Amino acid sequence: AVNTGSAVVSVRSDKQPTMVDNRAKLLPAIVDPNSFIWTVPTDAPQTIRITGRAGTSRSISVPWTAAPEISFLSLSPGGSRLLAGVTTPRGQEICAASISRGDDLWPRSIGPCLAVLPPAGKLVSGAWVDSARVAVLAASSSAVLRVSTLGGMFVDVTPPVGAVTVSGGGESMTVRVLTNYGELFEQSSSTRWSMVQSKVSVLGSSH
């Protein structure tokens, strides 16, 4: 799935590109391990749309019913849980929730939120590092990256300068950060980052 800036299109090697979602202000699309494409506008967090390989789309109810804005949406390795950063009347909140699927693997429902304490600042990006840890990037006077264990402790670290997107997963199960300079960094210790690639435009995740 590719976000063109005005829409999300599905690009498969054996077919012509097809329209998935042309709503305005879409977050970057997510393709889960079962090839379902998840899309949602930043200003309509309750309207997640899930599109299958045949092009059929369905909606799904969300637990953040009063939120007017969503900053990020991420799926865990395996696609069994999601992570969302939303703005609510109470302030910014991070929700980790389970995903129930039917026998056909279509996502059927999203469970109640397990709250994750957000870092200070405006939520920018979030991702699953592994099945138990999440990483959330926030910006205020300076950027902060919080790595939290669900139901446990968290650690705040300073991300690379210009950090705009965080990702995790892969074989190393480490935190990766993309900057607005197109530099991809990987966390090598609690205080050190190693640049692993340059001229990167999009940061994905491995499920």
Side-chain angles (χ1 to χ4, degrees), residues 29-186:
I30 299 172
V31 182
D32 73 19
N34 300 299
S35 298
F36 292 102
I37 302 172
W38 297 60
T39 52
V40 63
T42 58
D43 58 354
Q46 295 78 24
T47 62
I48 290 179
R49 182 178 297 173
I50 301 171
T51 304
R53 291 182 65 91
T56 302
S57 295
R58 300 178 185 175
S59 60
I60 191 169
S61 297
V62 300
W64 47 86
T65 54
E69 182 181 359
I70 183 168
S71 301
F72 60 80
L73 184 69
S74 173
L75 297 188
S76 66
S80 62
R81 288 181 289 180
L82 62 74
L83 182 74
V86 296
T87 301
T88 76
R90 297 179 297 274
Q92 295 193 105
E93 298 181 358
I94 301 171
C95 170
S98 61
I99 300 169
S100 297
R101 297 177 185 261
D103 293 338
D104 55 2
L105 299 181
W106 267 95
R108 300 295 186 188
S109 63
I110 298 173
C113 287
L114 170 64
V116 178
L117 187 66
K122 180 175 176 56
L123 298 179
V124 175
S125 178
W128 292 82
V129 181
D130 52 36
S131 61
R133 294 181 299 152
V134 297
V136 175
L137 178 67
S140 54
S141 57
S142 60
V144 60
L145 180 66
R146 174 167 292 180
V147 180
S148 302
T149 300
L150 297 183
M153 304 295 289
F154 65 82
V155 176
D156 287 345
V157 298
T158 301
V161 174
V164 292
T165 309
V166 62
S167 183
E171 293 182 0
S172 59
M173 292 295 179
T174 56
V175 180
R176 293 174 292 171
V177 168
L178 178 65
T179 72
N180 54 10
Y181 306 109
E183 299 166 331
L184 178 61
F185 288 85
E186 187 171 280

Side-chain angles (χ1 to χ4, degrees), residues 177-198:
V177 168
L178 178 65
T179 72
N180 54 10
Y181 306 109
E183 299 166 331
L184 178 61
F185 288 85
E186 187 171 280
Q187 190 175 23
S188 52
S189 71
S190 60
T191 58
R192 294 187 59 185
W193 295 87
S194 301
M195 191 174 76
V196 294
Q197 196 170 347
S198 60

